[in-house]
Amino acid sequence: MKILPFKLPFALSFLFCFFSVAINFSACASDAEQAKASLERLSKSLRQLNFNTSFVVVKNNQAEPYHWLHGVVDVKSEGENNSEAKIELEILALLNGPRRDILRVGNTVSYIEPEYAPYSITSAQISGPIPAVLGRDVSVLHDNYHFVSVGKSRVLGRAAQLIRIVPKDTHRYGYWLWLDKDSGLLLKLAVVTRKGQLLEQIQFTHLEISDNASENLKQLSVTDLPKVIELSAKDDNTQLAWQVNWLPRGFKEVKSDRHRITNSKQAVEFMLFNDGLIDISVYVNPSQEKQRPIEYAQDGATIVLNNVENNIEVSVVGKIPLSSAKKIVNSLSFTQTTIN
Amino acid sequence: MSEIKFEAISSLVDNYHDSAQETEQVIDEILDDEHLSTTWQQYHLIGDVIRDEVSSALQLDLSSQIAEAIADEPSILAPIASSKVFKEQNAIKAKIVQLIKPVGQLAIAASAAGLMIIGVQQNTADTGEVITPSQVVQTKPLAGFANPVSFNYSQNSQSQQKQAVLEQRIKQQRRFQALLSDHQQQVKLSAVKATKVEKEAISTSTK
């Protein structure tokens, strides 16, 4: 009888604890669910809305301004039943310096750049400063990243929801996204280290959403695009005399080939890896130098790292921390002692 | 005097001339004087540009020419510096920066021409690895520095070293830029495959 007064509060507090944990847990789960829903909405908005927007990429104390237009128009398909189909139109233009424009009509993307003659490729996504996956199926990121809905703030004069894409390991960076509550579109994006240090950010400076695609885009739909270059899949899987033995989990080989670097005319053996969000390039080529210690440069979140050992130059490029890049370089093994 | 001549050329270019004799005289002068003939050329070019008649083949792409000229320059005959010297060089980097500034500016013009990345910060000091001197370095052991020589000499060799360091920096910068732009290019091209895979996935799921 005497014990009871003690036991009851104990039991109660235990129960209380249990409930609070359960509530906490469900809160976490709903956070993740909410974050996922927001990202899915972003993906949908990026594909379906007509928007006219400007943003600035800030990295290394520099700002690169871009203008980005997207729209969806109806086109009469040339199929037998003359049905109307919707195609996406997109223009992304760098506003400072030499012209760098990316145009997209449906599944054709054209790049206009100072280094190359204009060309087109068959692709449903443009490769710009904004990760292409945000407009595609974000669920591919589940294996390697957590989605966390963090809180609300005000960005670009609009109510925004902050979503974090947090890597599950320490070998890559996190992405913070501020999404418009109204339209679901991106208002700001930041690439941050695990410790929360900001490396690179994209701040939108203007956003206009309209019911119809803008005039510029409609003109684009009737413009002749540069010739589509055909890339044969065969070239994408060249057997190389070396391999990468360590990569952060979830990176898959996209391609391996031999090509010449345009700027330096250097012939290289090349492998490209991707985890859904970021790309890592590995280059191997013979060098005239015998030995050179690791050197690296950082362009925003992108690291360019390179060293020479035993007359073989190895380089790694990608939005990964220095430690990961070093680890990749050190993991290379060669099936032959010298490559040629 | 020459200003009068320039004016005469200008009016000739614009097809205004006073008398046949005067015109002939001016033309003769132009033909004799190299300076005047370039002026003649330039005025025509200016006129073409103003009238928007420049052919698309004409490209004033100086950047590539500068880059080429630099690449073609004979390498500077500097003593090959050892790793120790490099470290000392880093320590007095601030001073070097002042001294190499004129050359540095040219280098930046050339290296920035190709690409959009400019603000690359370089980190070579904290790699935490001991720089093992290569074979080449060991066979030429600091010939210039061991000798106690005149003030002038040591100055000279120092500036040569600075040149060597600078050359290395420029080379390194170029390497990084070339890699970065190639990486971006490869990512763009890889989108083709991603789209193919996506399409296949859709077509198999609908089957």
Side-chain angles (χ1 to χ4, degrees), chain A residues 188-207:
Chain A
K188 185 175 163 180
L189 182 154
V191 185
V192 291
T193 63
R194 226 176 156 70
K195 287 178 184 160
Q197 191 201 345
L198 181 67
L199 296 171
E200 192 176 317
Q201 60 176 328
I202 297 174
Q203 168 70 56
F204 283 73
T205 53
H206 163 90
L207 175 62

Side-chain angles (χ1 to χ4, degrees), chain A residues 65-204:
Chain A
Y66 287 86
H67 188 192
W68 185 19
L69 296 159
H70 178 272
V72 182
V73 291
D74 294 321
V75 249
K76 283 221 169 72
S77 71
E78 282 152 34
E80 56 274 13
N81 44 12
N82 245 359
S83 65
E84 295 223 322
K86 284 187 189 300
I87 62 160
E88 282 179 73
L89 300 169
E90 209 164 347
I91 300 175
L92 178 67
L94 176 62
L95 301 178
N96 283 2
R99 272 199 97 108
R100 276 174 198 283
D101 294 351
I102 309 176
L103 312 172
R104 175 179 160 222
V105 178
N107 279 337
T108 306
V109 180
S110 304
Y111 290 93
I112 293 136
E113 298 159 329
E115 295 93 4
Y116 308 95
Y119 63 93
S120 302
I121 55 174
T122 307
S123 167
Q125 65 195 46
I126 61 175
S127 306
I130 294 164
V133 69
L134 298 181
R136 323 295 313 165
D137 180 11
V138 289
S139 65
V140 297
L141 301 179
H142 261 307
D143 292 342
N144 305 307
Y145 298 88
H146 294 291
F147 302 151
V148 187
S149 175
V150 182
K152 297 163 181 67
S153 64
R154 181 172 162 270
V155 179
L156 194 64
R158 291 159 175 267
Q161 174 73 42
L162 172 56
I163 307 288
R164 288 189 190 162
I165 300 179
V166 184
K168 290 184 179 174
D169 58 27
T170 56
H171 306 302
R172 49 201 129 195
Y173 295 132
Y175 284 70
W176 296 5
L177 312 171
W178 284 262
L179 306 176
D180 185 19
K181 285 225 158 161
D182 276 348
S183 63
L185 284 172
L186 191 61
L187 299 176
K188 185 175 163 180
L189 182 154
V191 185
V192 291
T193 63
R194 226 176 156 70
K195 287 178 184 160
Q197 191 201 345
L198 181 67
L199 296 171
E200 192 176 317
Q201 60 176 328
I202 297 174
Q203 168 70 56
F204 283 73

Side-chain angles (χ1 to χ4, degrees), chain A residues 240-297:
Chain A
L240 303 173
W242 49 275
Q243 55 184 19
V244 178
N245 295 314
W246 184 86
L247 281 162
R249 237 196 78 217
F251 274 91
K252 292 187 185 82
E253 183 186 329
V254 179
K255 68 170 177 179
S256 59
D257 69 8
R258 294 191 180 90
H259 68 265
R260 234 168 240 286
I261 291 180
T262 320
N263 284 18
S264 62
K265 309 280 182 294
Q266 171 75 55
V268 290
E269 297 199 332
F270 170 79
M271 280 180 109
L272 182 69
F273 302 93
N274 178 285
D275 75 339
L277 184 61
I278 49 178
D279 298 277
I280 300 177
S281 290
V282 181
Y283 298 87
V284 173
N285 57 273
S287 171
Q288 290 176 346
E289 289 169 76
K290 176 103 175 80
Q291 212 85 28
R292 192 171 62 221
I294 286 183
E295 295 171 342
Y296 65 94

